[in-house]
Amino acid sequence: MSSPCFVTQEATEEILLRVTNVCAECYSDIHEGDTIHYDMQNYRYLCKECQERLCAQMNENCEVVEDRSEGLFG
C-alpha cells in the first residue's frame, strides 16, 4: 500500500549498520534487500506489515485517527 506518509526503500547494508536492523513497531528482523518503509511522522523504519497496519489507521494528513467508540465513556 503506497502512502505519502512513508518513504519506501530497499534495506541496504548502510541502513542496517548505521540506523537499525529491526522494525521499530514489531521488532522483527530486517535483512538486506527487504522492502522497508520510513515513517516520516515518527522518524522510524517499519516492515511492510506494520506500515500497512499503521497506514490503514491514518487520515490524509498522516495523522493516526483513533476509533472513538472504544473509549471509557464511548
Side-chain angles (χ1 to χ4, degrees):
M1 174 180 285
S2 178
S3 169
C5 307
F6 299 92
V7 174
T8 301
Q9 57 193 128
E10 183 177 314
T12 63
E13 183 178 0
E14 182 178 5
I15 291 171
L16 297 175
L17 291 174
R18 293 184 182 198
V19 182
T20 187
N21 61 354
V22 297
C23 172
E25 187 72 18
C26 70
Y27 303 106
S28 63
D29 290 333
I30 296 173
H31 302 283
E32 190 171 354
D34 287 353
T35 299
I36 55 177
H37 306 274
Y38 186 71
D39 177 355
M40 296 187 298
Q41 295 298 105
N42 297 297
Y43 312 107
R44 61 188 182 162
Y45 281 101
L46 301 173
C47 67
K48 179 182 178 185
E49 291 78 19
C50 289
Q51 182 268 345
E52 288 176 347
R53 187 172 48 252
L54 186 60
C55 190
Q57 298 172 355
M58 292 179 149
N59 64 17
E60 62 278 352
N61 295 322
C62 301
E63 300 166 333
V64 174
V65 179
E66 297 181 26
D67 184 5
R68 298 183 191 279
S69 64
E70 295 180 17
L72 180 61
F73 301 105

